[in-house]
Coordinates of all heavy atoms in Angstrom, one line a residue:
M1 N 0.9 -1.2 0.0 CA 0.0 0.0 0.0 C 0.9 1.3 0.0 O 1.8 1.4 0.8 CB -0.9 0.0 1.3 CG -1.9 -1.1 1.3 SD -3.2 -1.0 0.0 CE -4.4 0.1 0.8
F2 N 0.6 2.2 -0.9 CA 1.3 3.4 -1.0 C 0.8 4.4 0.1 O -0.5 4.6 0.2 CB 1.1 4.0 -2.4 CG 2.0 5.2 -2.6 CD1 3.2 5.1 -3.1 CD2 1.5 6.5 -2.3 CE1 4.1 6.2 -3.5 CE2 2.3 7.6 -2.7 CZ 3.7 7.4 -3.1
R3 N 1.6 4.9 0.9 CA 1.2 5.8 2.0 C 1.3 7.3 1.6 O 2.4 7.9 1.6 CB 2.0 5.4 3.3 CG 2.0 4.0 3.6 CD 3.0 3.6 4.7 NE 4.3 3.9 4.2 CZ 5.4 3.9 5.0 NH1 5.4 3.5 6.3 NH2 6.6 4.1 4.4
W4 N 0.2 7.9 1.4 CA 0.2 9.3 1.0 C 0.3 10.3 2.1 O -0.3 10.1 3.2 CB -1.2 9.6 0.3 CG -1.3 9.0 -1.1 CD1 -2.0 7.9 -1.4 CD2 -0.8 9.6 -2.3 NE1 -1.9 7.7 -2.8 CE2 -1.2 8.7 -3.4 CE3 -0.1 10.7 -2.6 CZ2 -0.8 8.9 -4.7 CZ3 0.3 11.0 -3.9 CH2 -0.1 10.1 -4.9
G5 N 1.0 11.3 1.8 CA 1.0 12.6 2.7 C 0.4 13.7 1.9 O 0.7 13.9 0.7
V6 N -0.3 14.6 2.5 CA -1.0 15.7 1.8 C -0.6 17.0 2.5 O -0.9 17.1 3.7 CB -2.5 15.5 1.7 CG1 -3.1 16.7 0.9 CG2 -2.8 14.2 1.0
L7 N 0.0 17.9 1.7 CA 0.5 19.1 2.3 C -0.6 20.2 2.2 O -0.7 20.9 1.1 CB 1.7 19.7 1.6 CG 3.1 19.0 1.8 CD1 4.2 19.9 1.3 CD2 3.3 18.8 3.4
S8 N -1.4 20.4 3.2 CA -2.4 21.4 3.4 C -3.8 20.8 3.4 O -4.0 19.6 2.9 CB -2.3 22.6 2.4 OG -3.1 22.3 1.2
T9 N -4.7 21.6 3.7 CA -6.2 21.3 3.8 C -6.9 21.9 2.6 O -8.1 22.3 2.7 CB -6.8 21.8 5.1 OG1 -6.6 23.2 5.3 CG2 -6.2 21.0 6.3
A10 N -6.3 22.1 1.5 CA -6.8 22.7 0.3 C -8.0 22.1 -0.2 O -8.4 20.9 0.0 CB -5.8 22.7 -0.8
K11 N -8.9 22.9 -0.9 CA -10.1 22.5 -1.4 C -9.9 21.3 -2.4 O -10.8 20.4 -2.3 CB -10.7 23.7 -2.2 CG -12.1 23.3 -2.9 CD -12.6 24.6 -3.7 CE -13.8 24.2 -4.4 NZ -14.3 25.3 -5.3
I12 N -9.0 21.3 -3.3 CA -8.8 20.2 -4.2 C -8.6 18.9 -3.4 O -9.0 17.8 -3.9 CB -7.6 20.5 -5.2 CG1 -7.6 19.5 -6.3 CG2 -6.3 20.7 -4.5 CD1 -8.7 19.5 -7.3
G13 N -7.9 19.0 -2.3 CA -7.7 17.8 -1.5 C -9.0 17.3 -0.9 O -9.4 16.2 -0.9
R14 N -9.7 18.3 -0.2 CA -10.9 17.9 0.5 C -11.9 17.3 -0.4 O -12.7 16.4 -0.1 CB -11.5 19.2 1.1 CG -10.6 19.8 2.2 CD -11.5 20.9 3.0 NE -12.2 21.9 2.2 CZ -11.6 23.0 1.9 NH1 -10.4 23.4 2.1 NH2 -12.3 23.9 1.1
E15 N -12.1 17.9 -1.6 CA -13.2 17.6 -2.6 C -12.8 16.4 -3.6 O -13.7 15.8 -4.1 CB -13.7 18.9 -3.3 CG -14.2 19.8 -2.3 CD -14.9 21.0 -3.0 OE1 -14.8 21.1 -4.2 OE2 -15.5 21.9 -2.3
Q16 N -11.5 16.3 -3.9 CA -11.1 15.4 -5.0 C -10.1 14.4 -4.6 O -10.4 13.2 -4.7 CB -10.6 16.2 -6.2 CG -11.5 17.2 -6.7 CD -12.7 16.7 -7.4 OE1 -12.7 15.6 -8.0 NE2 -13.8 17.4 -7.5
L17 N -9.0 14.8 -4.1 CA -7.9 13.8 -3.9 C -8.2 12.9 -2.7 O -8.1 11.7 -2.8 CB -6.6 14.5 -3.7 CG -5.5 13.5 -3.4 CD1 -5.0 13.0 -4.8 CD2 -4.3 14.1 -2.6
L18 N -8.6 13.5 -1.6 CA -8.8 12.6 -0.4 C -9.8 11.6 -0.6 O -9.6 10.4 -0.2 CB -9.0 13.5 0.8 CG -7.9 14.5 1.3 CD1 -8.3 15.3 2.4 CD2 -6.6 13.8 1.4
P19 N -11.0 11.9 -1.1 CA -12.0 10.8 -1.4 C -11.4 9.8 -2.3 O -11.8 8.5 -2.1 CB -13.1 11.6 -2.0 CG -13.0 13.0 -1.6 CD -11.6 13.3 -1.4
A20 N -10.6 10.1 -3.3 CA -10.0 9.2 -4.2 C -9.1 8.2 -3.5 O -9.0 7.0 -3.8 CB -9.4 9.9 -5.4
I21 N -8.3 8.8 -2.6 CA -7.3 7.9 -1.9 C -8.1 6.9 -1.1 O -7.8 5.7 -1.0 CB -6.3 8.8 -1.0 CG1 -5.4 9.6 -1.9 CG2 -5.6 7.9 -0.1 CD1 -4.5 10.5 -1.1
V22 N -9.1 7.4 -0.4 CA -9.9 6.6 0.5 C -10.5 5.5 -0.3 O -10.6 4.3 0.1 CB -11.0 7.4 1.3 CG1 -12.0 6.4 1.9 CG2 -10.4 8.3 2.2
D23 N -11.0 5.8 -1.5 CA -11.6 4.7 -2.4 C -10.7 3.8 -3.1 O -11.0 2.7 -3.6 CB -12.4 5.4 -3.5 CG -13.7 6.0 -3.0 OD1 -14.1 5.6 -1.9 OD2 -14.3 6.7 -3.7
S24 N -9.4 4.2 -3.1 CA -8.4 3.4 -3.8 C -8.1 2.0 -3.2 O -8.3 1.9 -2.0 CB -7.1 4.1 -4.0 OG -6.4 4.1 -2.9
E25 N -7.6 1.1 -4.0 CA -7.3 -0.2 -3.4 C -5.8 -0.4 -3.1 O -5.4 -1.4 -2.6 CB -7.7 -1.3 -4.4 CG -9.3 -1.3 -4.6 CD -9.7 -2.3 -5.6 OE1 -8.9 -2.9 -6.3 OE2 -11.0 -2.4 -5.8
N26 N -5.0 0.6 -3.6 CA -3.5 0.5 -3.4 C -2.9 1.6 -2.6 O -1.7 1.8 -2.7 CB -2.8 0.2 -4.7 CG -3.0 1.4 -5.7 OD1 -3.7 2.3 -5.4 ND2 -2.5 1.3 -6.9
G27 N -3.7 2.4 -2.0 CA -3.1 3.6 -1.3 C -3.9 3.8 0.0 O -5.1 3.5 0.1
V28 N -3.2 4.5 1.0 CA -3.8 4.8 2.2 C -3.4 6.3 2.5 O -2.4 6.7 2.1 CB -3.5 4.0 3.4 CG1 -4.0 2.6 3.2 CG2 -2.0 4.0 3.6
L29 N -4.3 7.0 3.2 CA -4.0 8.3 3.6 C -3.2 8.2 4.9 O -3.8 8.0 6.0 CB -5.3 9.1 3.8 CG -5.1 10.5 4.3 CD1 -4.2 11.4 3.2 CD2 -6.5 11.2 4.4
S30 N -1.9 8.4 4.8 CA -1.1 8.3 6.1 C -1.1 9.6 6.8 O -1.2 9.6 8.1 CB 0.3 8.0 5.7 OG 1.1 7.8 6.8
A31 N -1.0 10.7 6.2 CA -0.8 12.0 7.0 C -1.3 13.3 6.2 O -1.2 13.3 5.0 CB 0.7 12.2 7.3
I32 N -1.9 14.2 7.0 CA -2.2 15.5 6.5 C -1.6 16.5 7.3 O -1.5 16.4 8.5 CB -3.8 15.7 6.6 CG1 -4.5 14.7 5.7 CG2 -4.1 17.1 6.1 CD1 -6.0 14.8 5.8
A33 N -1.0 17.5 6.7 CA -0.4 18.7 7.4 C -1.1 19.9 7.0 O -1.5 20.1 5.9 CB 1.1 18.8 7.0
S34 N -1.1 20.9 8.0 CA -1.6 22.2 7.8 C -0.8 23.2 8.6 O -0.1 22.7 9.6 CB -3.1 22.2 8.3 OG -3.6 23.6 8.2
R35 N -0.8 24.4 8.2 CA -0.2 25.5 9.1 C -0.9 25.5 10.5 O -0.4 26.1 11.4 CB -0.2 26.8 8.4 CG 0.6 26.7 7.1 CD 0.3 28.0 6.3 NE -1.1 28.1 5.9 CZ -1.7 29.1 5.4 NH1 -1.0 30.2 5.1 NH2 -3.0 29.1 5.1
D36 N -2.1 25.0 10.5 CA -3.0 25.0 11.7 C -3.3 23.6 12.1 O -4.1 22.9 11.4 CB -4.3 25.8 11.3 CG -5.2 25.9 12.5 OD1 -5.1 25.0 13.5 OD2 -6.1 26.8 12.5
L37 N -2.7 23.1 13.2 CA -2.9 21.7 13.6 C -4.3 21.2 13.8 O -4.8 20.2 13.4 CB -2.1 21.5 14.9 CG -2.3 20.0 15.5 CD1 -1.7 19.0 14.4 CD2 -1.5 19.9 16.8
S38 N -5.2 22.2 14.2 CA -6.6 21.8 14.4 C -7.3 21.6 13.1 O -8.1 20.6 13.0 CB -7.3 22.9 15.2 OG -7.4 24.1 14.4
K39 N -6.9 22.2 12.0 CA -7.5 22.0 10.7 C -7.0 20.6 10.2 O -7.7 19.9 9.6 CB -7.0 23.1 9.7 CG -7.9 24.4 9.9 CD -7.3 25.6 9.1 CE -7.1 25.3 7.6 NZ -6.6 26.4 6.9
A40 N -5.7 20.3 10.4 CA -5.2 19.0 10.0 C -5.9 17.9 10.7 O -6.2 16.9 10.1 CB -3.7 19.0 10.2
K41 N -6.1 18.1 12.0 CA -6.8 17.0 12.8 C -8.2 16.9 12.3 O -8.6 15.7 12.2 CB -6.7 17.4 14.2 CG -5.4 17.2 14.9 CD -5.5 17.5 16.4 CE -4.2 17.0 17.2 NZ -4.2 17.5 18.6
A42 N -8.9 17.9 12.1 CA -10.3 17.8 11.7 C -10.5 17.1 10.4 O -11.2 16.2 10.2 CB -11.0 19.2 11.6
L43 N -9.6 17.5 9.4 CA -9.6 16.9 8.1 C -9.2 15.4 8.1 O -9.7 14.5 7.4 CB -8.9 17.7 7.1 CG -9.2 17.4 5.6 CD1 -10.7 17.6 5.2 CD2 -8.3 18.2 4.7
G44 N -8.1 15.2 8.9 CA -7.6 13.8 9.1 C -8.7 12.9 9.6 O -8.8 11.7 9.2
E45 N -9.4 13.4 10.7 CA -10.4 12.5 11.2 C -11.5 12.2 10.2 O -12.0 11.1 10.2 CB -11.1 13.2 12.5 CG -10.1 13.1 13.7 CD -10.7 13.9 14.9 OE1 -11.8 14.3 14.9 OE2 -9.9 14.2 15.8
R46 N -11.9 13.2 9.4 CA -12.9 13.0 8.4 C -12.5 11.9 7.5 O -13.4 11.2 7.0 CB -13.2 14.3 7.7 CG -14.3 14.4 6.9 CD -14.6 15.8 6.4 NE -15.0 15.9 5.0 CZ -14.9 17.0 4.2 NH1 -14.4 18.1 4.9 NH2 -15.2 17.0 3.0
F47 N -11.2 11.8 7.0 CA -10.8 10.9 6.0 C -9.9 9.7 6.6 O -9.4 8.9 5.8 CB -10.1 11.6 4.9 CG -11.0 12.5 4.0 CD1 -11.1 13.8 4.3 CD2 -11.8 11.9 3.1 CE1 -12.0 14.6 3.5 CE2 -12.6 12.6 2.3 CZ -12.7 14.0 2.5
G48 N -9.9 9.6 7.9 CA -9.2 8.5 8.5 C -7.7 8.5 8.3 O -7.0 7.5 8.2
A49 N -7.1 9.7 8.3 CA -5.6 9.8 8.3 C -5.0 9.2 9.5 O -5.5 9.4 10.6 CB -5.2 11.2 8.1
R50 N -3.9 8.6 9.4 CA -3.2 8.0 10.6 C -2.5 9.1 11.4 O -2.3 9.0 12.6 CB -2.2 7.0 10.1 CG -2.9 5.8 9.5 CD -1.8 4.8 8.8 NE -2.5 3.7 8.2 CZ -1.8 2.8 7.5 NH1 -0.5 2.9 7.3 NH2 -2.5 1.8 7.0
H51 N -2.1 10.2 10.7 CA -1.2 11.2 11.4 C -1.8 12.7 10.9 O -2.2 12.8 9.8 CB 0.2 11.1 11.0 CG 0.8 9.9 11.2 ND1 1.2 9.4 12.5 CD2 1.1 8.9 10.4 CE1 1.7 8.2 12.4 NE2 1.6 7.8 11.1
A52 N -1.7 13.6 11.8 CA -2.1 15.0 11.5 C -0.9 15.8 12.1 O -0.5 15.6 13.2 CB -3.4 15.4 12.1
F53 N -0.4 16.7 11.2 CA 0.8 17.5 11.7 C 0.4 19.1 11.5 O -0.3 19.5 10.6 CB 2.0 17.3 10.7 CG 2.5 15.9 10.8 CD1 2.4 15.0 9.7 CD2 3.1 15.4 12.1 CE1 2.9 13.8 9.8 CE2 3.5 14.1 12.1 CZ 3.5 13.2 11.0
G54 N 1.1 19.8 12.4 CA 0.8 21.3 12.4 C 1.8 22.1 11.6 O 1.9 23.3 11.6
S55 N 2.7 21.4 10.8 CA 3.6 22.0 9.9 C 3.9 21.1 8.7 O 3.8 19.9 8.9 CB 4.9 22.4 10.6 OG 5.7 21.3 10.8
Y56 N 4.2 21.7 7.6 CA 4.5 20.9 6.4 C 5.9 20.1 6.6 O 6.0 19.0 6.2 CB 4.6 21.8 5.2 CG 3.3 22.6 4.9 CD1 3.5 23.8 4.2 CD2 2.1 22.2 5.3 CE1 2.4 24.6 3.9 CE2 1.0 22.9 5.0 CZ 1.2 24.1 4.3 OH 0.0 24.9 4.1
E57 N 6.8 20.7 7.3 CA 8.1 20.2 7.6 C 7.9 18.8 8.3 O 8.7 17.8 8.0 CB 9.0 21.1 8.4 CG 9.4 22.3 7.7 CD 8.5 23.5 7.8 OE1 7.4 23.3 8.2 OE2 8.9 24.6 7.4
E58 N 7.0 18.8 9.4 CA 6.9 17.5 10.1 C 6.3 16.4 9.2 O 6.9 15.3 9.3 CB 5.8 17.7 11.2 CG 6.3 18.5 12.4 CD 5.2 18.9 13.4 OE1 4.5 19.8 13.1 OE2 5.1 18.1 14.3
L59 N 5.5 16.7 8.2 CA 5.0 15.6 7.4 C 6.1 15.2 6.5 O 6.3 13.9 6.3 CB 3.8 16.1 6.5 CG 3.2 15.1 5.6 CD1 1.7 15.4 5.4 CD2 3.8 15.0 4.3
L60 N 6.9 16.1 6.0 CA 8.0 15.7 5.1 C 9.1 14.8 5.8 O 9.7 14.0 5.2 CB 8.7 16.9 4.5 CG 7.8 17.7 3.5 CD1 8.5 18.9 3.0 CD2 7.3 16.9 2.3
A61 N 9.2 15.0 7.2 CA 10.1 14.2 7.9 C 9.6 12.9 8.4 O 10.3 12.0 8.9 CB 10.6 15.1 9.1
S62 N 8.3 12.6 8.1 CA 7.7 11.5 8.6 C 8.2 10.1 7.9 O 8.1 10.1 6.7 CB 6.2 11.5 8.5 OG 5.6 10.3 8.8
P63 N 8.6 9.1 8.6 CA 9.0 7.8 7.9 C 7.7 7.1 7.5 O 7.9 6.1 6.8 CB 9.7 7.1 9.1 CG 9.1 7.7 10.4 CD 8.8 9.1 10.1
D64 N 6.5 7.6 7.8 CA 5.3 6.8 7.4 C 4.7 7.4 6.1 O 3.6 7.1 5.9 CB 4.3 6.9 8.6 CG 4.8 6.2 9.8 OD1 5.5 5.2 9.7 OD2 4.4 6.7 10.9
V65 N 5.4 8.1 5.4 CA 5.0 8.7 4.1 C 5.8 8.3 3.0 O 7.0 8.5 3.0 CB 4.9 10.3 4.2 CG1 4.6 10.9 2.9 CG2 3.9 10.7 5.2
D66 N 5.2 7.8 1.9 CA 5.9 7.3 0.7 C 6.0 8.4 -0.3 O 7.0 8.4 -1.1 CB 5.3 6.0 0.1 CG 5.3 4.9 1.1 OD1 6.4 4.6 1.8 OD2 4.3 4.2 1.2
G67 N 5.0 9.2 -0.4 CA 4.9 10.3 -1.5 C 4.0 11.3 -1.0 O 3.1 11.1 -0.1
V68 N 4.2 12.5 -1.5 CA 3.5 13.7 -1.0 C 2.7 14.3 -2.2 O 3.2 14.6 -3.3 CB 4.5 14.7 -0.5 CG1 3.8 16.0 0.1 CG2 5.3 14.0 0.6
Y69 N 1.5 14.7 -2.0 CA 0.7 15.5 -2.8 C 0.7 17.0 -2.3 O 0.6 17.2 -1.1 CB -0.8 15.0 -2.9 CG -1.7 15.8 -3.8 CD1 -1.5 15.6 -5.2 CD2 -2.6 16.6 -3.4 CE1 -2.4 16.2 -6.1 CE2 -3.5 17.3 -4.3 CZ -3.3 17.1 -5.6 OH -4.1 17.8 -6.6
I70 N 1.0 17.9 -3.3 CA 1.3 19.3 -2.9 C 0.2 20.3 -3.4 O 0.4 20.9 -4.4 CB 2.7 19.8 -3.3 CG1 3.7 18.7 -2.8 CG2 3.0 21.1 -2.8 CD1 5.1 19.0 -3.3
P71 N -1.0 20.4 -2.8 CA -2.0 21.2 -3.3 C -1.9 22.7 -2.7 O -2.9 23.1 -2.1 CB -3.3 20.6 -2.9 CG -2.9 20.0 -1.6 CD -1.5 19.5 -1.7
L72 N -0.7 23.2 -2.8 CA -0.5 24.5 -2.3 C -0.7 25.6 -3.4 O -0.8 25.3 -4.5 CB 1.0 24.6 -1.7 CG 1.3 23.7 -0.6 CD1 2.8 23.8 -0.2 CD2 0.5 24.2 0.7
P73 N -0.8 26.9 -3.0 CA -0.8 27.9 -4.1 C 0.4 27.7 -5.1 O 1.5 27.3 -4.6 CB -0.6 29.2 -3.2 CG -1.2 28.9 -1.9 CD -0.8 27.4 -1.6
T74 N 0.1 28.0 -6.3 CA 1.0 27.6 -7.3 C 2.4 28.2 -7.1 O 3.4 27.6 -7.3 CB 0.5 28.0 -8.7 OG1 -0.8 27.5 -8.9 CG2 1.3 27.6 -9.9
S75 N 2.4 29.4 -6.5 CA 3.7 30.1 -6.3 C 4.5 29.3 -5.3 O 5.8 29.6 -5.2 CB 3.4 31.5 -5.7 OG 2.7 31.4 -4.5
Q76 N 4.0 28.3 -4.5 CA 4.8 27.6 -3.5 C 5.2 26.2 -4.0 O 5.9 25.5 -3.3 CB 4.0 27.5 -2.2 CG 3.7 28.8 -1.6 CD 3.1 28.6 -0.2 OE1 3.5 27.7 0.5 NE2 2.2 29.5 0.1
H77 N 4.8 25.9 -5.2 CA 5.1 24.5 -5.7 C 6.5 24.2 -5.8 O 7.0 23.1 -5.3 CB 4.4 24.2 -7.0 CG 3.0 24.0 -7.0 ND1 2.2 23.7 -8.1 CD2 2.1 24.2 -5.9 CE1 0.9 23.6 -7.6 NE2 0.8 23.9 -6.4
V78 N 7.3 25.0 -6.3 CA 8.8 24.8 -6.5 C 9.4 24.6 -5.1 O 10.2 23.6 -4.9 CB 9.5 25.9 -7.3 CG1 10.9 25.8 -7.2 CG2 8.9 25.9 -8.7
E79 N 9.2 25.5 -4.2 CA 9.8 25.5 -2.9 C 9.5 24.1 -2.2 O 10.4 23.5 -1.7 CB 9.3 26.6 -2.0 CG 9.7 26.6 -0.5 CD 9.1 27.7 0.3 OE1 8.4 28.5 -0.2 OE2 9.4 27.6 1.5
W80 N 8.3 23.7 -2.2 CA 7.9 22.5 -1.4 C 8.3 21.2 -2.1 O 8.5 20.2 -1.5 CB 6.5 22.6 -0.9 CG 6.3 23.6 0.1 CD1 5.8 24.9 0.0 CD2 6.8 23.5 1.5 NE1 5.9 25.6 1.2 CE2 6.5 24.8 2.2 CE3 7.4 22.5 2.3 CZ2 6.9 25.0 3.5 CZ3 7.7 22.7 3.6 CH2 7.4 24.0 4.2
T81 N 8.3 21.3 -3.5 CA 8.7 20.1 -4.2 C 10.2 19.9 -3.9 O 10.6 18.7 -3.6 CB 8.5 20.3 -5.7 OG1 7.1 20.5 -6.0 CG2 9.0 19.1 -6.5
Ligands
NAP1 N1 -9.6 23.7 -6.6 C1 -9.4 23.0 -7.7 O1 -10.5 22.6 -8.4 C2 -8.1 22.7 -8.4 C3 -8.1 21.9 -9.6 C4 -6.8 21.6 -10.1 C5 -5.7 22.1 -9.5 N2 -5.7 22.9 -8.4 C6 -4.5 23.4 -7.9 O2 -4.4 22.9 -6.5 C7 -3.7 23.9 -5.7 C8 -4.6 24.2 -4.6 O3 -5.8 24.8 -5.0 P1 -7.1 25.0 -4.1 O4 -8.1 25.7 -4.9 O5 -7.5 23.6 -3.6 O6 -6.5 25.9 -3.0 P2 -7.0 26.4 -1.5 O7 -8.4 25.7 -1.2 O8 -6.9 27.9 -1.5 O9 -5.9 25.7 -0.6 C9 -4.6 26.1 -0.7 C10 -4.0 25.7 0.7 O10 -2.6 26.0 0.7 C11 -2.2 26.3 2.1 N3 -1.5 27.6 2.1 C12 -0.1 27.7 2.4 N4 0.3 28.9 2.4 C13 -0.8 29.7 1.9 C14 -1.0 31.1 1.6 N5 0.0 32.0 1.8 N6 -2.3 31.4 1.2 C15 -3.2 30.6 1.1 N7 -3.1 29.3 1.4 C16 -1.9 28.8 1.8 C17 -3.6 26.4 2.9 O11 -3.6 25.2 3.7 P3 -3.3 25.1 5.3 O12 -4.1 26.3 5.9 O13 -4.1 23.9 5.7 O14 -1.9 25.1 5.5 C18 -4.7 26.3 1.9 O15 -5.7 25.6 2.4 C19 -3.4 25.1 -6.6 O16 -2.1 25.0 -7.2 C20 -4.4 24.9 -7.8 O17 -3.9 25.4 -8.9 C21 -7.0 23.2 -7.8

């Protein structure tokens, strides 16, 4: 199973990506990070994430994440990639 990490609580994640991960047969939602831990926890609980982090750095350092989806404002894609 591929263990996804998602950087932020963005609309595209809430409405499209997270439901698709939950429905998939070969992936699990391992972690969600937000600049606001309470937002990460709330969204994580809704989609069954194993971890919620209050910073993007913590998610990137997690050994429980195989790959990261980056639904940040476009101007931040290069930095976080
Ligand atoms: N919405 C769509 O239908 C759609 C479709 C295709 C592609 N995309 C792409 O997906 C990306 C996200 O789009 P979205 O519409 O889902 O965005 P969004 O709802 O505005 O979410 C962006 C997230 O980025 C985080 N963030 C970090 N720094 C920020 C800042 N300075 N200002 C605002 N947000 C900041 C916030 O998460 P935290 O507060 O949780 O940290 C925020 O929830 C964009 O690159 C967009 O082009 C979106």
Side-chain angles (χ1 to χ4, degrees):
M1 295 292 273
F2 190 87
R3 301 170 300 172
W4 286 98
V6 179
L7 282 194
S8 89
T9 56
K11 178 181 176 189
I12 187 72
R14 297 194 307 269
E15 296 187 354
Q16 302 289 336
L17 181 81
L18 299 179
I21 291 174
V22 169
D23 282 349
S24 75
E25 295 177 355
N26 60 356
V28 293
L29 182 58
S30 182
I32 297 177
S34 172
R35 298 166 298 172
D36 179 338
L37 179 58
S38 66
K39 283 170 55 181
K41 282 183 173 172
L43 195 61
E45 282 173 17
R46 190 169 135 202
F47 287 98
R50 295 172 180 172
H51 307 282
F53 296 115
S55 74
Y56 305 151
E57 288 89 348
E58 287 172 274
L59 185 148
L60 295 178
S62 170
D64 297 328
V65 169
D66 296 317
V68 180
Y69 184 71
I70 308 179
L72 295 174
T74 307
S75 61
Q76 297 188 33
H77 285 187
V78 168
E79 176 187 354
W80 288 101
T81 298

